[in-house]
Amino acid sequence: MLTDSIKSSIESLDPLFNKKFGDISSGSVGCDRILYIRLPCNPIFPIGVVYLSDHIHKVAPDVQQNIFDLGTVPPLDFYASLDRAIDKFQPNLLVFSWRDIQIYAPVGGRGGNPLQNAFEFYYAKNPFKKLRGAVNGLRLFTTYYAELWRNSQLVRRGLDRARRYHPEVKAVIGGGAVSVFYEQLGSILPKGTIISVGEGESLLERLVQGREIASDRCYVVGETKPRERLIHEQPAPIEKSACDYEYIESIWEDFNYYFRDRDFYIGVQTKRGCPHNCCYCIYTVIEGKQVRINPTDEVIKEMRTLYDRGVRNFWFTDAQFIPAKKFIDDAIELLEKVKSSGMNDIHWAAYIRADNLTPYLCQLMVETGMSYFEIGITSGSQELVRKMRMGYNLKSVLQNCRDLKAAGFNELVSINYSFNVIDETLETVRQTIAYHRELESIFGADKVEPAIFFIGLQPHTHLEDYAFKNNILKKGYNPMSMMPWTAKKLLWNPEPLGSFFGEVCLEAWKRDDDDFGRTVMNILEERLGRAPLEEALAAPMKELVNV
Ligand code: B12
Ligand code: SF4
């Protein structure tokens, strides 16, 4: 009901909009005044627009640019501050960057704890709890659709305002959220908006140079349709050099926002791409399977410029910091240079595959200030890890964790588990418990935090294919839908074990919602016991044949 009315009001605006302003995508004159608008987001450093504007400055230094980050603006001021930014800069290209849409996570999100609300609604037996889940879920639901509506309105409003100065102004939109949901977003964005998938450097370059864009990873709302398998097309090979922060500072009025508070982790990208095939993951398609390493001297130079501005916390924003064994040497080279650079009071974090470590790399990681370690194994059962096509060897992960501990790592380790992805059984849960307890014995139970996720199903993944083949989802479903019956399938927790996990999680929130992950593990062990560790580490041969 609500989505329909939002959609129809958006659609009802469309003809009006297009009649008044005409087609915005035609014309081959290049754009030379670019305003980057990062759409509202929790305050995460907007590394995407920073890199894009840096790139354009390097290839087209005459182009005037400005950055406006709605992540730093209070919600009541979104529209007025956007108007002011446009009046002041008078752009002829609006670059909208949209970071995230999906908020299923076991943490307090923008609309409360989404996982808890959903599970209370779907699985609670107590009618009061179910009602609470429904009420909170409704709040989340409205927040979600209101955010989609608001962002589409911000694009319209921006275009409308900018046309006062440049009737031919274009809007282009990209970013993580757009890359995942590019097919669906076409229905809520104004006609003529260019929707971009993946990295935006080459598309923006074409736009400023007035070249054709049809061959890039994009399509134009109302004019062209996304090509079949657009998301699987390879990104343009671009060699990244150190971001020129002096320039960025000159085009971004609120540059200091993320530097004032020393808690922020500032993004630095060291490579793009991931060669793996994990069944639920779309990074590998967005960034492509080919790993492109940024020259280490350039990475160090970029870190140094940030360091000189007071930054001490860095997040290496790669899909994977060490994507495979053959990239271990690149990681070593980078960390050796960090070590010899004199930046010896920094902290850094990244997504790291814990199977790709060596004792020397572990030592470097500790020496250079790795402050947080996340192990994304998903399951402690080797059999399941293979079925999910993750390519992890759980035995090596344990050995590498021992090496990391021996190298002096004494910080928090977060272990990501997503139960019930494919073919989970009570036996594989028992194996996961055994594996988790072994990690606790390596790092110390107080240092190991199990993060219990349920996979949010994403389009263009193997898991989506699996859902089609097993009649869980039908082709043509809407992956952005939050309607309870669709959301239940997208928040992946299928039966026969779905209700069991639902009930265990509810019990964990009741017992201790401040220590949810550990409590889930304890309840599972109380109910199911623990398998011998060797069983967790072995994958039966018949499974290997099937995979
Ligand atoms: C690193 C990372 C994190 C780190 C960020 C650390 C930091 N301080 O920066 C951490 C762990 C904190 C994190 C958290 C979350 N993340 Co995250 N994260 C990523 C990851 C791996 C890389 C993002 C990144 O910075 N890349 C490097 C920069 C340079 O790339 P970029 O910003 O995407 O910009 C490029 C392109 O997108 C494009 N582009 C960007 N804007 C525009 C605009 C135009 C017009 C054009 C043409 C192009 C363009 O060009 C840029 C340069 O090439 C991506 C997955 C991925 N591989 O992209 C997920 C991703 C962005 N995260 C995602 C999500 C959902 C989250 C969370 C909300 C998860 C959760 N449920 O809690 C949280 C919370 C974030 C928040 N807002 O509060 C989703 C967002 C999409 C979605 N599903 O909704 C992604 C895409 C993962 C996924 N596949 O689902 N994340
Ligand atoms: S290793 Fe990480 S980034 Fe690569 S495909 Fe698997 S989950 Fe995705």
Side-chain angles (χ1 to χ4, degrees), residues 262-265 303-304 306-314 335 337-349 364-371 411:
R262 296 293 152 113
D263 284 348
F264 283 117
Y265 273 72
M303 289 174 75
R304 165 60 69 184
L306 289 164
Y307 185 87
D308 290 344
R309 284 171 166 73
V311 174
R312 293 294 179 269
N313 298 331
F314 296 90
L335 294 183
K337 287 183 178 169
V338 170
K339 192 175 154 191
S340 59
S341 71
M343 297 185 278
N344 51 19
D345 55 345
I346 64 166
H347 290 119
W348 63 268
L364 276 173
M365 287 157 92
V366 174
E367 284 172 354
T368 52
M370 185 180 73
S371 54
E411 309 282 338

Side-chain angles (χ1 to χ4, degrees), residues 173 178 182 185-186 189 193-197 217-221:
I173 190 162
V178 181
Y182 66 99
L185 286 173
L189 290 167
T193 308
I194 304 165
I195 297 192
S196 158
V197 175
R217 290 171 94 193
C218 68
Y219 73 100
V220 184
V221 178

Side-chain angles (χ1 to χ4, degrees), residues 213-229:
I213 55 166
S215 56
D216 218 292
R217 290 171 94 193
C218 68
Y219 73 100
V220 184
V221 178
E223 291 174 22
T224 54
K225 291 249 174 296
R227 288 185 289 279
E228 268 291 299
R229 297 181 58 82

Side-chain angles (χ1 to χ4, degrees), residues 239-449:
E239 179 153 307
K240 168 99 179 54
S241 56
C243 178
D244 177 355
Y245 273 102
E246 204 176 311
Y247 171 69
I248 299 299
E249 198 168 4
S250 72
I251 62 165
W252 182 8
E253 211 172 289
D254 278 330
F255 178 76
N256 275 328
Y257 182 90
Y258 295 91
F259 298 86
R260 277 194 298 262
D261 184 341
R262 296 293 152 113
D263 284 348
F264 283 117
Y265 273 72
I266 305 296
V268 171
Q269 201 176 38
T270 81
K271 64 188 71 55
R272 291 181 177 180
C274 176
H276 291 282
N277 238 335
C278 305
C279 70
Y280 49 78
C281 178
I282 195 179
Y283 299 6
T284 178
V285 231
I286 298 178
E287 294 191 16
K289 292 211 185 305
Q290 202 182 345
V291 178
R292 292 150 292 149
I293 311 272
N294 299 339
T296 44
D297 286 335
E298 296 297 316
V299 178
I300 297 292
K301 194 167 151 198
E302 182 169 317
M303 289 174 75
R304 165 60 69 184
T305 349
L306 289 164
Y307 185 87
D308 290 344
R309 284 171 166 73
V311 174
R312 293 294 179 269
N313 298 331
F314 296 90
W315 191 293
F316 295 130
T317 59
D318 316 352
Q320 277 301 332
F321 184 60
I322 315 169
K325 294 236 168 354
K326 70 175 184 187
F327 302 104
I328 289 181
D329 286 346
D330 299 284
I332 289 182
E333 185 186 322
L334 178 68
L335 294 183
E336 279 177 342
K337 287 183 178 169
V338 170
K339 192 175 154 191
S340 59
S341 71
M343 297 185 278
N344 51 19
D345 55 345
I346 64 166
H347 290 119
W348 63 268
Y351 288 133
I352 297 175
R353 281 189 59 117
D355 52 344
N356 299 328
L357 306 181
T358 62
Y360 178 53
L361 185 51
C362 291
Q363 184 196 321
L364 276 173
M365 287 157 92
V366 174
E367 284 172 354
T368 52
M370 185 180 73
S371 54
Y372 171 74
F373 191 54
E374 196 168 304
I375 304 180
I377 48 175
T378 305
S379 163
S381 158
Q382 183 67 66
E383 179 187 341
L384 285 195
V385 166
R386 291 241 164 90
K387 284 190 174 175
M388 292 185 281
R389 306 183 184 207
M390 298 181 63
Y392 263 114
N393 179 330
L394 291 185
K395 246 185 225 160
S396 329
V397 172
L398 285 182
Q399 185 49 47
N400 295 344
C401 288
R402 288 186 194 107
D403 290 342
L404 195 62
K405 181 71 186 170
F409 185 76
N410 217 5
E411 309 282 338
L412 197 67
V413 183
S414 166
I415 323 281
N416 293 357
Y417 296 112
S418 295
F419 287 111
N420 208 10
V421 180
I422 289 179
D423 289 352
E424 184 92 76
T425 60
L426 296 183
E427 196 46 41
T428 55
V429 178
R430 282 162 34 84
Q431 293 172 6
T432 296
I433 296 162
Y435 195 81
H436 184 70
R437 297 301 181 218
E438 186 62 19
L439 286 168
E440 285 184 334
S441 75
I442 295 173
F443 290 110
D446 58 324
K447 295 281 184 204
V448 178
E449 191 156 320

Side-chain angles (χ1 to χ4, degrees), residues 457-490:
L457 185 119
Q458 298 199 332
H460 311 290
T461 55
H462 297 296
L463 194 60
E464 187 191 49
D465 271 349
Y466 175 92
F468 290 147
K469 283 186 191 130
N470 289 280
N471 290 324
I472 298 173
L473 284 170
K474 288 200 172 47
K475 292 235 158 130
Y477 79 104
N478 178 3
M480 280 177 68
S481 173
M482 273 281 258
M483 293 299 170
W485 47 94
T486 314
K488 188 169 183 188
K489 293 178 179 170
L490 300 185

Side-chain angles (χ1 to χ4, degrees), residues 1-72:
M1 273 290 285
L2 186 66
T3 30
D4 287 346
S5 69
I6 289 176
K7 224 178 130 192
S8 65
S9 9
I10 295 175
E11 277 162 0
S12 67
L13 281 174
D14 251 353
L16 228 181
F17 189 84
N18 295 315
K19 200 152 138 211
K20 200 165 159 198
F21 303 114
D23 171 2
I24 61 160
S25 70
S26 54
S28 60
V29 182
C31 310
D32 59 2
R33 294 191 68 78
I34 308 182
L35 180 64
Y36 295 84
I37 301 155
R38 208 272 284 260
L39 289 168
C41 182
N42 286 351
I44 286 203
F45 188 72
I47 188 70
V49 295
V50 166
Y51 279 5
L52 289 174
S53 52
D54 176 62
H55 178 78
I56 292 303
H57 180 60
K58 285 169 181 157
V59 295
D62 293 338
V63 170
Q64 300 294 306
Q65 307 192 91
N66 203 270
I67 295 177
F68 172 59
D69 177 12
L70 280 160
T72 64

